[in-house]
Structure formats: C-alpha cells, structure tokens
Amino acid sequence: MKAARITAPLRTEVVDVADPVPGPGEAIIQVEVAGICGTDIHILQGEYQATYPLIPGHEFAGTVAAVGEGVTRFHVGDRVTADPNIACGRCPTCQRNEPNQCLTPQAVGVTRPGAFARYVSMPEGNVFSIGALPYNQAAFIEPLACVVWGLLRVPIVPGDSALIFGAGPMGCLLAQAIRHAGAAKVVVTDVAEWRLRRVAELGATAVVVADAQQEARLRSLASLGYDVVVDATGIPQVVEGIFRYARPRGRVWLFGVCPREATASFSPYQVFRKDLTIYGSYALCRTFPQSIALLESGAVQVESLISHQLPLSRFAEGLDLAQRAPDRMKVQLLPG
Ligand SMILES: [Zn+2]
Ligand SMILES: [Zn+2]
C-alpha cells in the first residue's frame, strides 16, 4: 500500500509498504479521509516522542477492509472511524479508570502506524460506526472528542458566558460544543478576520479581532468577566493574558497545546482573590460516542472547516499548507 512517512525531523516520503495484516481482535480500515493535526506537525518538527520512520495520522474515517480472528462487531464494508488512543488497561491509572492518563499508552499515528496510508490496523474496541456521516466530516470525530472530554471536566451551566481565544478548527469546534452545552454567550477572538466570520456563521454570538482594541471590546461584552475563558491557541503569551477576562468564581480552560518546554506566568494572587479554577484537558477519554452524536445530529457543523483536500502523494505539501497557508483551517489527505 501507499503510505506517507516522517523518516526524521523535517523529512517526509511517500512509499510503498506492506499492507497490514489483521491480528486477532483487530480490524483493518481502508482510510478514505485523514486530517492533519497539530500533533502531526509536532512529530514532523521532532518535538514529540516518536520512533521514526513513522506513518502519522490519527483523525480519520474509512471502511473496514478485513477483520482478524475473534472480531464480531464489525464486518468488511462497514463505515467506521477509530479512537487512536490505546490504553494498556493494566497500569495504575488505567485501573483508576483514567485511560487518557495511561502510563504506557500506545497511539495510532504516534507509536503505531497511523492513518496517512491506504490501510490502518485498529483493535476492535477502538472502532466506531459512523453511520451515514460523510467521511470528510467523520474525520473530525477525534478532535471533537477532545472537546467533549474537556466539557466533561469543565462545567458549563445554562446561561454561561464563554470567551474563546483562537478561531482555528479547534476554536470553531469549541464554540459550537460550548454553545450546545448551555452557554448563552460565546465570544471568539482571533487575529484573522476571515476565521472570525466563519465561527460567527457557526454560532459564536460575538467575535472580536485581536488588535489594539481587543481588550476594550472583550470587556464591553462582559463587564464582570466571563464564566469560562478558553485558550485554543497553544501560544504561551496568549495564555498569560486570558486570566484577566475570567469573572470572579470563573473557570480558565487550557485546551491549546503549548510547546512542551514553554512556561507562562500568571498572578497567583488573582487566582486566589477571584476564586478562579484552572482546568487542563488532555486528548480524549472514551468520548467518541458523544462526539459522533453531536455530528450526526448537526449540532456541530464541520464542513466549512475543511480548507484543503489533497491526495496522499502530496503529503509534504499538505504539511506545509497546514503550517503556513494564510487560508488554512483543516487540511485533509485522501489516500483513495
Ligand atoms: Zn489530533
Ligand atoms: Zn495504562
């Protein structure tokens, strides 16, 4: 099969490799659409623990092409996606039912061959039916499941006001999911006006350009501050600035992935004085079903978040677009 690989930091290739053979309890999925995500870029840049050469890609959808011994719930031809995270099930954190914090995790596209290939092998327990969802939308189930996991940690109550920094694909998913979780006001801020127009179409109640008037505008929209403030940029300087927008008793949610070695400063006194709560949310944790439900119901719209679709042979160009294209949102690869 054709597969796209990262062979060393900043080095890629598209090559022929042997088709995967399903082991007991595994399904082989023929990949139709796979999205490029920030994690793939981190692996490209050598900022992520990965063993090269690696086939990346962990947000995808396709059809079951073969099943191994003992697989009972899926059959050849089924339309599916899969949770890329494979917890060991045996370590102390798995035993505490915290599989996203597994001490010896495996992840498709990080420690195992991923979805930037014609076929990918998955344990049956990680495979989910996508019903009639189009493949290009189903490739958003994984990133949306990360948002859902955060929403199981960060309480959103009816009538809340939320402020989201960043209107990229994740900011757009966050805005929609937070709104559906009960927030009455969802304000999004970003430097790119065209991205703000998109998130406004998707249900943000107000958008603010990150220019010299940003702070005044954000404050005018919530005089006491926001119930929930979310970083979806992963930029440490942005993170440092978000605390001041939380209302007393507010929640600060660090969703964006900052560089591993980065630090950010904040005022411990203000966290104390304002009764603030700071939340992290890492990846996803058994939240594929909820994510699928949000997409199937139309509560979360993703079609307008796809900016580029390329054949697998243009892998290097896809990575480049995902990092630098001025009009980039989600870049998808089509191995078919
Ligand atoms: Zn991802
Ligand atoms: Zn474990």
Side-chain angles (χ1 to χ4, degrees), residues 51-231:
T51 343
Y52 303 103
L54 171 74
I55 303 173
H58 58 271
E59 12 186 284
F60 64 97
T63 56
V64 174
V67 294
E69 198 187 313
V71 171
T72 57
R73 293 178 47 242
F74 294 98
H75 303 95
V76 171
D78 286 353
R79 309 176 80 257
V80 295
T81 184
D83 180 345
N85 307 292
I86 304 165
C88 77
R90 296 186 293 266
C91 73
T93 53
C94 282
Q95 287 183 312
R96 287 171 58 109
N97 197 25
E98 296 167 356
N100 70 324
Q101 295 294 342
C102 174
L103 300 177
T104 53
Q106 296 281 316
V108 164
V110 182
T111 66
R112 296 173 39 134
F116 295 155
R118 191 54 172 140
Y119 301 103
V120 62
S121 173
M122 293 300 315
E124 181 183 16
N126 286 60
V127 181
F128 292 81
S129 169
I130 59 169
L133 266 183
Y135 296 118
N136 60 355
Q137 296 182 30
F140 283 88
I141 292 168
E142 192 271 347
L144 182 58
C146 299
V147 170
V148 172
W149 170 236
L151 285 171
L152 293 183
R153 290 179 48 72
V154 184
I156 303 282
V157 296
D160 264 355
S161 57
L163 169 58
I164 300 166
F165 286 78
M170 296 313 301
C172 291
L173 295 179
L174 280 159
Q176 297 178 79
I178 288 173
R179 188 109 195 259
H180 276 276
K185 185 188 288 182
V186 178
V187 180
V188 183
T189 181
D190 193 292
V191 289
E193 280 185 67
W194 68 271
R195 282 185 165 191
L196 292 175
R197 280 195 296 276
R198 191 142 309 168
V199 76
E201 286 159 15
L202 292 170
T205 55
V207 295
V208 170
V209 186
D211 60 14
Q213 277 78 54
Q214 181 193 36
E215 179 157 3
R217 291 213 186 90
L218 290 178
R219 288 198 186 284
S220 74
L221 290 165
S223 53
L224 291 177
Y226 296 82
D227 296 295
V228 185
V229 181
V230 191
D231 174 65

Side-chain angles (χ1 to χ4, degrees), residues 295-311:
L295 288 172
E296 280 184 334
S297 68
V300 173
Q301 300 282 329
V302 294
E303 198 123 34
S304 67
L305 304 184
I306 302 164
S307 60
H308 302 82
Q309 291 189 316
L310 303 168

Side-chain angles (χ1 to χ4, degrees), residues 306-329:
I306 302 164
S307 60
H308 302 82
Q309 291 189 316
L310 303 168
L312 190 64
S313 56
R314 288 164 65 191
F315 175 54
E317 187 186 341
L319 289 171
D320 202 58
L321 289 167
Q323 293 173 84
R324 281 175 275 275
D327 61 342
R328 69 189 184 279
M329 282 290 246

